[in-house]
Amino acid sequence: MALICLVLSGAALLVNGLTLLGRVPGRDSGVFNVLIGGLQLVLCVAVAVTADGSLPALFAIAGTFLFGLTYLYVGLDALFGLGSVGLGWFCGLVAALAAVFAVLHVVDDPVLAVLWAGWAVLWTLFFVLLALGRSAVGTYTGWALVLASQVTTTVPAVLGLTGHWPTGPVATSVALVVLVGVFGGAALLARKTAAHPEEHRTPATVTA
């Protein structure tokens, strides 16, 4: 279930990144986020109900709960104009918890720890953009979402679903290098976008 939700997260992050870059209308993105977030929460509740109090099982879906709530919140905000400040502070909480999850997985699954570190950075960007109102990071956040959506969610999910989840120090090192490349590449693309604004539409709304 976690891997399926990871695929869904990849789609949501991609669409949200394109929304920030002005390529997807806010309302379209809102509907999509409500669907993704709602589906993830339903799947998580189903697992929680059948977990019979198993702490490992509940821990495994804790992150998915947070992501599902984020997407649902983003969708409702886009559709009903609820205001993004509360969403931003929630994203700050998710970022902090993602950092904790990264530390907790260092020993048992270092590649997953790297992924959690990447998600912590993404949700920190949401916090800075929405809670602190630093619109200057909007374009960078959009590109970071577009690149990270596939590298940190879709690709790992496909590897896991096909029984090829990466393990070992080499895989961990590769994951770290790729993650640095994602955020470095986002900076280059954001700089290019700023240099040629006529090639990009300005987003009408700012959402995670």
Side-chain angles (χ1 to χ4, degrees), residues 61-80:
I61 63 171
T64 306
F65 259 117
L66 294 174
F67 290 171
L69 283 172
T70 300
Y71 304 139
L72 183 59
Y73 200 156
V74 167
L76 293 176
D77 179 32
L79 293 174
F80 300 107

Side-chain angles (χ1 to χ4, degrees), residues 109-112 115 155-156 159-160 163-168 171-172 175:
D109 193 339
V111 171
L112 183 57
L115 296 179
V155 172
L159 290 174
H164 297 92
W165 182 265
T167 59
T172 304

Side-chain angles (χ1 to χ4, degrees), residues 159-182:
L159 290 174
L161 289 170
T162 57
H164 297 92
W165 182 265
T167 59
V170 174
T172 304
S173 299
V174 171
L176 281 169
V177 170
V178 171
L179 193 63
V180 171
V182 163

Side-chain angles (χ1 to χ4, degrees), residues 87-160:
L87 172 60
W89 282 100
F90 174 72
C91 288
L93 172 63
V94 176
L97 291 174
V100 172
F101 290 151
V103 173
L104 292 176
H105 283 295
V106 166
V107 175
D108 68 293
D109 193 339
V111 171
L112 183 57
V114 172
L115 296 179
W116 273 113
W119 298 329
V121 174
L122 287 180
W123 263 253
T124 298
L125 289 172
F126 296 157
F127 170 73
V128 173
L129 178 64
L130 303 175
L132 303 184
R134 304 295 176 83
S135 59
V137 303
T139 301
Y140 174 76
T141 303
W143 282 117
L145 284 172
V146 169
L147 297 179
S149 66
Q150 305 309 299
V151 173
T152 68
T153 56
T154 305
V155 172
V158 171
L159 290 174

